[in-house]
């Protein structure tokens, strides 16, 4: 199984500032035949299901604000939230869809400082 | 607008079989562009993929649960279902159904773009 490890486990950021969440996979999730990274990011607010933010490591899902961006390749990825808003308080998960079993990171809890 | 809704018992006894159904509205479960999956989340914990079903009949299961899991589809009702046998307390969780994008038809499914609201299942006598 591909193990996904996120860091930090939690962070507190001031409104309007930038939040950065990291995700590392135990093996590369870059598919060489199409040069795509099989990595997605989700946001889960309290009491709600996860919501897709980013797929293919850096493609923003339709309707997701452009302050959310994804970067990285191979085994190291980052979710960046610029100009943090109060509604961004949530737990964020990365997920690899390179191979089954599909696996998620343990989650990063984002709070307002 | 696609919607997914989980249904089933909220309480299951140990050693029995957990059965849940996901009803899909606003889209066809038989589309070649999507797969349909189940994910669970124990209270206060992270997400665990259980398995996925592709319209062609292909199924993908988490090896950690494979011996106990069955996912099947009822296309006539636009529903898909999960059965998890021999449950124990560790199977208590919120169970989500979700649509999984198949970026290239005929290949394994990819990311989950639509999720149901989830249903809490508690295993207890």
């Amino acid at each position: 199984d591909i193990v996904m490890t996120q860091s930090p486990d939690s962070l507190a950021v001031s409104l309007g500032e930038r939040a950065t969440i990291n995700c590392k996979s135990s093996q590369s999730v870059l598919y060489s035949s199409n040069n795509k990274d099989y990595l997605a990011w989700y946001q889960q607010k309290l009491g709600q299901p996860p919501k897709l933010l980013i797929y293919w490591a850096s493609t923003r899902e339709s309707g997701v604000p452009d302050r959310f961006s994804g970067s990285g390749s191979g085994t190291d990825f980052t979710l960046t939230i610029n100009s943090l808003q109060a509604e961004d308080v949530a737990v964020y998960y990365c997920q690899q869809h390179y191979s089954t079993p599909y696996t998620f990171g343990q989650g990063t809890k984002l709070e307002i400082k | 607008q696609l919607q997914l809704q989980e249904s089933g018992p909220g309480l299951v006894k140990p050693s029995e079989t957990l059965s849940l159904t996901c009803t899909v509205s606003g889209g066809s479960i038989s589309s070649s562009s999507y797969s349909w999956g189940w994910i669970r989340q124990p209270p206060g914990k992270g997400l665990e993929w259980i398995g996925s079903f592709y319209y062609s009949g292909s199924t993908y299961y988490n090896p950690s649960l494979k011996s106990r899991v069955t996912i099947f589809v009822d296309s006539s009702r636009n529903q898909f279902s999960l059965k998890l046998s021999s449950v124990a307390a560790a199977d208590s969780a919120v169970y989500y159904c979700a649509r999984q994008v198949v970026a290239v038809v005929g290949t394994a499914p990819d990311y989950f773009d639509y999720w149901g609201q989830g249903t809490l299942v508690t295993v207890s006598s």
Side-chain angles (χ1 to χ4, degrees):
Chain A
D1 299 7
I2 298 178
V3 177
M4 308 300 290
T5 304
Q6 292 180 225
S7 62
D9 289 333
S10 64
L11 78 161
V13 176
S14 300
L15 290 172
E17 296 300 307
R18 176 183 298 168
T20 302
I21 298 170
N22 301 301
C23 174
K24 188 174 184 67
S25 56
S26 60
Q27 64 186 74
S28 177
V29 297
L30 173 64
Y31 198 39
S32 57
S33 66
N34 59 10
N35 202 37
K36 285 183 180 290
D37 288 283
Y38 284 50
L39 189 284
W41 288 98
Y42 302 86
Q43 174 194 65
Q44 187 177 32
K45 296 183 179 180
L46 191 63
Q48 295 185 19
K51 172 189 173 183
L52 176 67
L53 297 175
I54 304 282
Y55 55 96
W56 304 130
S58 61
T59 302
R60 199 178 304 114
E61 172 71 336
S62 175
V64 173
D66 60 7
R67 65 178 182 275
F68 291 89
S69 63
S71 62
S73 184
T75 61
D76 292 280
F77 302 91
T78 300
L79 175 70
T80 301
I81 309 170
N82 287 311
S83 189
L84 189 73
Q85 306 294 303
E87 63 261 32
D88 300 334
V89 168
V91 179
Y92 292 83
Y93 294 94
C94 60
Q95 177 231 334
Q96 63 82 17
H97 48 98
Y98 181 86
S99 65
T100 58
Y102 304 110
T103 49
F104 295 84
Q106 81 276 18
T108 295
K109 186 175 183 179
L110 176 59
E111 299 174 312
I112 304 296
K113 186 186 293 183
Chain B
Q1 177 75 358
L2 188 78
Q3 291 189 321
L4 296 88
Q5 180 66 59
E6 305 88 351
S7 59
L11 182 64
V12 182
K13 289 183 168 55
S15 80
E16 295 190 345
T17 295
L18 178 160
S19 296
L20 296 174
T21 295
C22 182
T23 301
V24 179
S25 57
S28 172
I29 206 168
S30 299
S31 169
S32 61
S33 297
Y34 304 103
S35 179
W36 305 90
W38 290 94
I39 302 100
R40 70 180 182 179
Q41 184 173 36
K45 296 188 177 181
L47 299 160
E48 179 182 31
W49 171 71
I50 299 170
S52 300
F53 184 97
Y54 191 39
Y55 88 106
S56 64
S58 299
T59 51
Y60 305 84
Y61 295 134
N62 193 324
S64 67
L65 299 168
K66 187 174 183 178
S67 63
R68 300 194 289 132
V69 172
T70 304
I71 296 174
F72 55 96
V73 171
D74 184 342
S75 300
S76 65
R77 296 187 176 187
N78 225 33
Q79 296 176 332
F80 62 106
S81 299
L82 167 71
K83 287 191 181 298
L84 180 65
S85 64
S86 305
V87 297
D91 294 310
S92 296
V94 174
Y95 284 76
Y96 296 101
C97 59
R99 188 178 79 170
Q100 199 170 3
V101 172
V102 178
V104 177
V105 173
T107 65
D110 294 295
Y111 48 89
F112 299 94
D113 65 343
Y114 278 92
W115 297 64
Q117 285 299 307
T119 186
L120 176 63
V121 178
T122 302
V123 178
S124 175
S125 55

